[in-house]
Structures are given as structure tokens and as C-alpha cells.
Amino acid sequence: MNRSSALTAPTLSGRTIFILIGVAVILYVGQEVFIPLALALLLTFTLAPIVSFLRKRRVPKIAAVLMAVASAFLVIAAFGFIVAGQVANLADNIPTYQRNIVAKVQALSHAGSGNGILEHVSKVVERIGSEMQDTAEESREDAASQSTRRDPMPVEIITRSNPVQTLGNFILPLISPFATAGLVIVLVIFMLLEREELRDRFIRLVGLGDLHRTTAALQDAGKRVGKYLLMQLVVNALYALPIAIGLWLLGIPNAILWGLLTLVLRFVPYIGPVIGMILPLFLALAIAPGWSLVAWVAALFIVTELVSNNVVEPWLYGSHTGLSPLAIIVSAIFWSWLWGPVGLMLSTPLTVCLVVLGRHVPQFGFLDVLLGNEPVLQPQEKLYQRLLAGDPNEATDNAEDFLEDEYLLDYYEQVGFPALKLGEMDRQRGVMTEAQISLFASTTQTLIGNLAEIAIEEEAEQDPSETEAATLEETAESRELPKVEHKSVLCIGGRGAMDDAAASMIAQVLAIEGATVSQAEHSIVSGTTINLLRLTEIDTVVIAFLNAGSKAHARQAVRRLKRQKPSLRVGIVMPGVDGDGESSVAAQDIDADFVATGIRDAVRGALSDGDAVAIRVTKRVGRARERKMNPLVA
């Protein structure tokens, strides 16, 4: 595997940072222009599936657009009127709620007196309650005194101003929201009518050189954002309906208001449902003498939230926003700072658009890395990083997650051995110190030891009962490993501590397959220490080299072992020159019985039957033998 290509990632240059800061300043300064555009764009994404649905039913384009827009804004208008009426009713009942709160605070203060910290808290609560009661009494006394005494004549300073300016100052604040709403309606209508034309113009502007990528980006953005908004609206409605019904059954006033409020606030990630729950809880505290109603309201919100998060949302759309949880929170903070409450409501869909941009435009790839929920490191890269940091615990957790569906052989083949090759490449480049190499190797050995229990479980599966024999035979065939009657295998590291770790992985897999396995460190292969190996009961020796340039070392080790025991089968595990693919070393070149580039091939070669390959005799050695046997030979 090519190290440079494996870890290639988009970078955040100074120029890009400067451009992003400039864009943020422009969005902040021109929010009066960009907020209606953003609202119109997101509403267009939401209504586009409805328009497409009507168009498939042979409804004319203009009629389909007008029907979709009219329906949407009629719903929004009805929502606004209902909320306004409920708020007015709530305002009329506030004095009653205030008296109930004062009474409950006083009861709480009396109940908590004489209990240390609770007494101190009760004094604070009692002081707050008395201040609220004094304020209410002062307001009643002021109203009574104003009715009996004569107020002084007010003096008003009138400055002459332009009547047109005065009229404008009075009317503009009133018509500004309606003007913005009207502008959004017009923009939505024209965006829906000219949707295809706007798409073609955007492609012509930014993507004529790569129509495929630009088209994919537009389709992904439209599908992802439109589906998120529409499905989130459905989820929120299914969430608000039981909330409103439950609050009405519990006797909470203005239950419709709280249901609609939770519907809107749930567009705000994480904190929206909490805010929507606080106000009904406060109202339950104000209208009931005890605490049971507060508990029932809290239980209603908690149960509904759990059902919505774990049942309704996965059923309707799952987690298709493509955003990480941290990115959702950070985007909510950023957009609320930029555009206020409107930005908070639009934070998630706007950030989804940025993630789509980063996913399809290479210059903005860092946005997908920062905000997306896709893994940014390959499993072998993540394992290498954890081993380099000396953290076997997280590495073990990740391995166990992988092994829930796969075998240990697959984990070592796809993740473990590639991670060791990444470490060997860095060692060859000289970027790893001896201490780092030692820590990396020892952490790898700890990881292998932590996976020993899983290895024992898999080894137990190799001794099947009669009812499981057929299933396990199919499993063995799928793993492409030969059946083992009795094999004794010695696994040795080639040149360093990392090679020893690779040999340990191979040994653990061989033990799972039923072989009798022993191990030796790399130092045993060099010098005269190789003669200390007891090879009498050994059928096969497997030597692991992570360095692809170890052909000479491998040939020397093979010949030393075969001189001790000519019938010994010796295999070499060595990756290709580029870290992957076929090995650049042929078995006949080093007198080995097999050469493998990965753990699966190494295990297959070690468990295979066959006669050992004899050491080839060179011409120089042949002449020396001939002279020894016949001294008269020149």
C-alpha cells in the first residue's frame, strides 16, 4: 500500500482561511439580503419533491408550483395565527400563575427550614418569593393610588420633523416582516419554476470542466437537504402531536401552543427539545399545588423523545444528514452568532450543503473532513496511530468491534498487517526513533495478547460437533485454508521487533487453525544463535520480514535452517516493494518452500503438505566439494 496515497487528505491553506473569513464577514454584513435567500433556497429544496410528485401526476408546471407554495404558506400562516391566539390567552392568565408560584415557593421555603444547606437555599427562595409578592402588591397599590389622585400634567417636547419621515418610521417596522415574507414567497416561486434553468447556469458557471462531478454534487445536495427538511418536518409533527395531546390530558393550559412550539424548536439540534420542555414544566409548577404534575409532564417529554429518536427517526430517514454530532453543535453556535435565531433554525441544513460541497469539490474537501460523519482514517491507519501512541486499549476496542462480524484472520490480514507495514515504512524513512519503534512493537504485542481470548474462542470452533460439522466445513472453505491434522510450526521475526510482532500475528492464527505453534525472536536468526533452535519436532518455519528489501537476509536464513534440517519446510512472509501486491522475491531464488505477501497466504503455505525444497548448490560450492572428494582434480 502506498503510504503517501493512503494518508492523502485535503489541507486547509492560509488562502482558504482568508476566503472563509471574508465570506463570513459578507454573510454577517449582508444578512438582510442573504437570510431571505437562504430561507427561499431551503424552502425550494423542501417543496421540490412535492412539485415533482405533482408533475408526475400530469399537473402543469405552473399549477404544481403554485399549489405547493400556496399550501406551504397557508400552513405557515395558520401556524402563526394559532400561536398568536394561544400567546394572548397565556398572557391573560399570567397573574394567576404568578400567585400560584409565590405560594409554592413559600411552601418550599417552610418545608426546607432547619436542614443546613436546604435551609440556606430556602431562605434564598423565600426572599425571591417575597420580592415577587411585594412587586405584585406595589403594582396593585400604584393602580389604586393613580385612580384617586390627580396625575401631574405631562409635558411633551415636540420637535418638528418631516411628516413623510415620521410616517416612514411608523410604518416600516410594521411592514418589514410582511415584506420579507412576500420576498421569500416570490423567490420560492421563481426558484421552483426556474429550477432546471438555475441548475444549468450553475453548471455553466462552476462545473463545465467536470459535468459529472457538478451534476453529482447538485443531485446529492438536493436529495440530502430536501429529504432532511421534509422528513424532519414529519418527525417533528409526529413528536408534537402526542406532546399536545398528552399536555391536554394532563390539564396543562394552552396545550396547542406548547405542541406547536416543540414542533418548531425541534429543528434546533439538541437544545431545541430541552427548551420546548422547560416552559410546560414551569407552567405545571405554576398551576398545581404538588409536584406530581411536573413529574408527569417531564415523563411525557422524555418518553416521547426516546420513542422519536429510537423508533420514528430511524424508520423514516435514519441518520442521512452526513454530519457528526459535534459538527451539528458547532454549526448551531456559528450560524446563531451569524444570523441570530434564524441562523440557529437553519444551521443544520446549511451545514449539510457545506458538507456536500466539500465532498464533491476538492478545494473544499476539508469541510467534509471537519463536519462529515464519515471516518477520516482507514482502519489500518487508525490502528497504526494508536499503536504509535502506545494505546493498546482503544486499539483493542476497535479490533473487537471489527471481530463482531469477521474472523481474527481477516482482522490481521486487512488491518493488523497493513498497520505494521505502515510502521515499517516510517522506520525506513527514518522518522521513528528507537524508543518509538520499541513502544510500537510492544504495544502491538499487547494488542495481540488482548485478542488471545477471541483466538481461544475461534480455536474452540475448530473442534465441531456432528451437527456443526457441515457449517464449519463451509466456513473453512470460504476462508480458503487447508484442514490440519497435525502440524508443528515455528514463527520467527526476520530483522527487528516489528517483524517479531508480525510473526506473533501469524502464530496466533496458526494456533486457531489447529497447528502446534512456537515462536522465536529475530535475534535467533542472525549469527551462530540459529544453531540453538531445536528443529527436531518442527515441520515448518515461517519467517516474517516487513522490509521488502530483505531478500539477502531471507535467503541466508532459509539456507541456515535447511542445513540444520534438510527436510524442514521454510516459508518467507515479505510484502511487495510498494507495500502491496505480489512479492518481488520468488521462492526458488531464496530456496524457500513458499513466499507470501500477507498473513492469509502465510498460513495457507505453513499448513500445506509437501516435500521440502532442497538447497541449490552453487558452482563454487560444487567445485569445492569435488576437489575435496578427488584431490587430483585441478
Side-chain angles (χ1 to χ4, degrees):
M1 180 174 53
N2 193 336
R3 168 84 167 151
S4 60
S5 63
L7 295 180
T8 299
T11 57
L12 189 60
S13 63
R15 180 182 177 184
T16 305
I17 295 176
F18 180 77
I19 293 175
L20 291 176
I21 294 175
V23 170
V25 171
I26 293 173
L27 291 175
Y28 181 79
V29 174
Q31 57 182 297
E32 293 184 359
V33 176
F34 291 111
I35 287 178
L37 283 174
L39 288 171
L41 181 63
L42 295 177
L43 283 173
T44 301
F45 278 126
T46 305
L47 297 178
I50 300 176
V51 174
S52 300
F53 175 80
L54 294 175
R55 291 284 291 147
K56 291 179 181 178
R57 301 305 186 273
R58 300 183 181 275
V59 178
K61 184 176 183 179
I62 297 178
V65 170
L66 293 178
M67 289 172 61
V69 173
S71 302
F73 282 95
L74 282 176
V75 171
I76 295 174
F79 180 89
F81 282 120
I82 294 174
V83 170
Q86 292 286 313
V87 169
N89 180 265
L90 178 64
D92 294 337
N93 296 325
I94 284 179
T96 304
Y97 303 150
Q98 182 178 355
R99 289 193 294 271
N100 292 338
I101 292 175
V102 170
K104 184 166 290 188
V105 167
Q106 290 176 346
L108 181 64
S109 64
H110 292 306
S113 59
N115 289 330
I117 298 175
L118 189 59
E119 181 180 1
H120 178 70
V121 174
S122 66
K123 290 180 179 179
V124 176
V125 175
E126 184 178 2
R127 186 165 59 251
I128 296 174
S130 62
E131 290 178 0
M132 293 177 63
Q133 189 171 12
D134 293 341
T135 303
E137 292 177 355
E138 288 177 2
S139 62
R140 288 195 296 269
E141 291 175 358
D142 291 341
S145 61
Q146 287 178 3
S147 63
T148 57
R149 69 184 180 183
R150 183 176 181 181
D151 295 334
M153 181 177 295
V155 178
E156 182 179 0
I157 300 175
I158 301 176
T159 57
R160 294 185 178 181
S161 60
N162 189 348
V164 177
Q165 183 180 0
T166 303
L167 185 62
N169 294 334
F170 178 75
I171 294 178
L172 286 179
L174 295 178
I175 66 174
S176 180
F178 295 99
T180 302
L183 179 61
V184 171
I185 294 174
V186 173
L187 284 173
V188 170
I189 292 174
F190 278 96
M191 284 183 178
L192 288 172
L193 288 174
E194 303 293 331
R195 191 171 37 152
E196 293 80 6
E197 182 67 20
L198 290 174
R199 178 200 61 200
D200 296 342
R201 291 183 181 275
F202 182 79
I203 292 175
R204 179 65 180 86
L205 182 64
V206 301
L208 190 60
D210 194 348
L211 291 175
H212 173 74
R213 176 175 293 173
T214 308
T215 302
L218 289 175
Q219 289 179 344
D220 191 12
K223 182 179 179 180
R224 193 181 294 269
V225 177
K227 185 174 183 179
Y228 166 75
L229 291 173
L230 193 58
M231 289 297 101
Q232 187 65 49
L233 180 61
V234 175
V235 169
N236 291 1
L238 294 177
Y239 176 84
L241 183 61
I243 289 293
I245 296 175
L247 292 177
W248 176 73
L249 292 175
L250 291 173
I252 302 297
N254 307 106
I256 297 177
L257 173 64
W258 310 126
L260 295 177
L261 188 63
T262 54
L263 188 149
V264 175
L265 287 175
R266 218 168 176 276
F267 278 101
V268 180
Y270 296 109
I271 62 173
V274 177
I275 298 174
M277 181 178 63
I278 289 175
L279 294 177
L281 283 175
F282 186 77
L283 193 59
L285 180 69
I287 65 173
W291 297 93
S292 60
L293 184 60
V294 177
W296 279 108
V297 172
L300 172 65
F301 275 90
I302 292 173
V303 171
T304 307
E305 183 71 23
L306 291 175
V307 172
S308 178
N309 289 337
N310 298 291
V311 179
V312 179
E313 289 186 8
W315 173 51
L316 286 177
Y317 63 88
S319 179
H320 291 303
T321 60
L323 301 179
S324 65
L326 180 60
I328 293 176
I329 297 174
V330 173
S331 65
I333 296 173
F334 173 77
W335 288 107
S336 61
W337 165 78
L338 196 67
W339 285 350
V342 177
L344 184 63
M345 299 290 296
L346 303 179
S347 60
T348 300
L350 289 175
T351 309
V352 169
C353 294
L354 293 178
V355 170
V356 172
L357 178 67
R359 188 163 296 169
H360 295 282
V361 180
Q363 294 83 351
F364 297 97
F366 64 91
L367 292 174
D368 187 26
V369 174
L370 292 176
L371 304 175
N373 60 353
E374 297 294 332
V376 296
L377 291 178
Q378 296 296 323
Q380 65 270 18
E381 296 168 351
K382 190 174 182 179
L383 175 60
Y384 170 60
Q385 192 272 334
R386 289 294 85 204
L387 296 177
L388 193 62
D391 184 7
N393 296 324
E394 184 177 347
T396 303
D397 292 339
N398 295 332
E400 290 174 349
D401 293 338
F402 183 94
L403 292 170
E404 289 181 359
D405 302 317
E406 302 291 343
Y407 288 100
L408 194 60
L409 171 62
D410 300 316
Y411 176 73
Y412 285 148
E413 178 74 14
Q414 301 174 22
V415 182
F417 199 64
L420 292 179
K421 289 190 285 187
L422 291 176
E424 175 62 24
M425 290 178 187
D426 280 348
R427 188 200 65 80
Q428 293 178 34
R429 291 192 302 122
V431 297
M432 293 180 68
T433 63
E434 291 298 328
Q436 288 177 321
I437 294 173
S438 177
L439 178 63
F440 179 86
S442 62
T443 306
T444 305
Q445 295 286 6
T446 303
L447 169 65
I448 296 171
N450 292 342
L451 299 179
E453 184 177 351
I454 297 177
I456 294 173
E457 294 177 358
E458 292 190 13
E459 185 178 358
E461 294 179 0
Q462 302 302 315
D463 186 16
S465 62
E466 295 182 358
T467 57
E468 298 174 343
T471 303
L472 292 178
E473 185 176 355
E474 294 178 359
T475 302
E477 292 178 357
S478 64
R479 296 165 70 180
E480 300 177 354
L481 296 177
K483 295 182 179 180
V484 179
E485 297 297 335
H486 178 72
K487 291 284 184 181
S488 180
V489 184
L490 171 64
C491 297
I492 309 175
R495 300 177 63 179
M498 293 186 186
D499 296 335
D500 291 339
S504 297
M505 291 182 180
I506 298 171
Q508 196 172 65
V509 175
L510 285 170
I512 293 174
E513 299 302 324
T516 302
V517 183
S518 56
Q519 284 185 249
E521 295 184 353
H522 67 280
S523 58
I524 201 71
V525 180
S526 60
T528 59
T529 55
I530 198 171
N531 297 323
L532 301 177
L533 290 174
R534 298 181 179 180
L535 304 177
T536 306
E537 303 296 331
I538 301 297
D539 298 317
T540 305
V541 174
V542 178
I543 310 175
F545 292 92
L546 293 172
N547 187 348
S550 302
K551 179 178 179 180
H553 293 80
R555 180 172 54 244
Q556 193 175 46
V558 170
R559 289 183 174 181
R560 286 177 176 175
L561 291 169
K562 284 182 176 290
R563 288 193 186 104
Q564 283 188 257
K565 183 178 180 180
S567 61
L568 183 69
R569 298 183 72 252
V570 181
I572 300 297
V573 183
M574 186 184 301
V577 176
D578 60 348
D580 204 353
E582 296 183 358
S583 175
S584 58
V585 179
Q588 59 269 21
D589 294 339
I590 58 176
D591 296 332
D593 293 271
F594 62 90
V595 173
T597 58
I599 291 184
R600 185 182 298 274
D601 292 338
V603 173
R604 185 185 298 112
L607 299 181
S608 299
D609 295 323
D611 297 330
V613 175
I615 302 176
R616 291 180 302 167
V617 180
T618 62
K619 294 180 180 180
R620 181 177 61 82
V621 174
R623 286 196 299 268
R625 289 180 178 177
E626 187 177 353
R627 283 196 301 270
K628 185 176 181 180
M629 295 176 61
N630 189 0
L632 299 178
V633 177

